[in-house]
Amino acid sequence: IRMVDGLFLFTKSREPDATVERLTAVLDRSLVSVFTNGAKVYVLPKGLNKGRAVRRLRAALGGGGGPAAEAALGGKPVYIVAAGDSAFDLPMLAAADLALLPAALAADHEGKKILAGHGNAVVIPAGKPFSTSWSWPGKPRSGPTGRPSSGR
């Protein structure tokens, strides 16, 4: 077991799902999150997550978006795109304006719960590389040069 930067615990397990089950039986889940990513098992304080970092970034760029954020960036809108592949990434994906994630994570119970109603989530099918020609809500269509087209 390793303490990472004094913030959270991490270990590897031959039986990660069983390890998570044992930990969740003895830990106060209102205080910590316990999850796996492959053979890795993580125990984090509830307040420590990537979604919080996205919200801090958004605030640093001028607030919750809209005119204040655009003014802070010289008239440019704040649009945060996030890509993730594990349970550790779900809060970040939920906080982003556009979330890119693999189908397996989107199908997971926690993935479904967190991303429900997100509206701008692109699920990448297993075994298929991401393509810039995919479309999603709010994405400008590309012309033959790869630059956004007028949509006409």
Side-chain angles (χ1 to χ4, degrees):
I1 298 176
R2 264 188 16 207
M3 173 71 83
V4 179
D5 294 332
L7 298 172
F8 64 92
L9 297 174
F10 155 82
T11 191
K12 288 188 177 180
S13 174
R14 288 188 195 114
E15 299 176 355
D17 292 332
T19 301
V20 167
E21 192 173 313
R22 287 192 301 271
L23 287 170
T24 56
V26 298
L27 295 173
D28 184 346
R29 293 296 303 267
S30 69
L31 299 175
V32 296
S33 297
V34 181
F35 58 88
T36 67
N37 186 13
K40 299 172 187 171
V41 177
Y42 298 90
V43 179
L44 288 84
K46 281 286 188 184
L48 179 67
N49 66 61
K50 294 179 181 181
R52 188 172 180 186
V54 168
R55 289 187 294 279
R56 288 179 65 192
L57 173 64
R58 188 180 306 280
L61 294 175
E70 289 181 25
L73 295 172
K76 297 177 183 171
V78 174
Y79 193 80
I80 297 174
V81 178
D85 64 354
S86 74
F88 193 49
D89 299 324
L90 287 170
M92 170 187 68
L93 295 169
D97 297 304
L98 173 65
L100 306 171
L101 66 155
L105 185 60
D108 175 80
H109 172 72
E110 286 298 311
K112 287 180 184 176
K113 186 169 77 175
I114 287 180
L115 296 173
H118 188 283
N120 274 340
V122 175
V123 177
I124 301 167
K128 299 210 178 191
F130 180 73
S131 168
T132 57
S133 66
W134 289 4
S135 64
W136 55 77
K139 175 188 180 272
R141 294 188 308 188
S142 293
T145 63
R147 295 189 177 124
S149 69
S150 64
R152 289 183 222 136

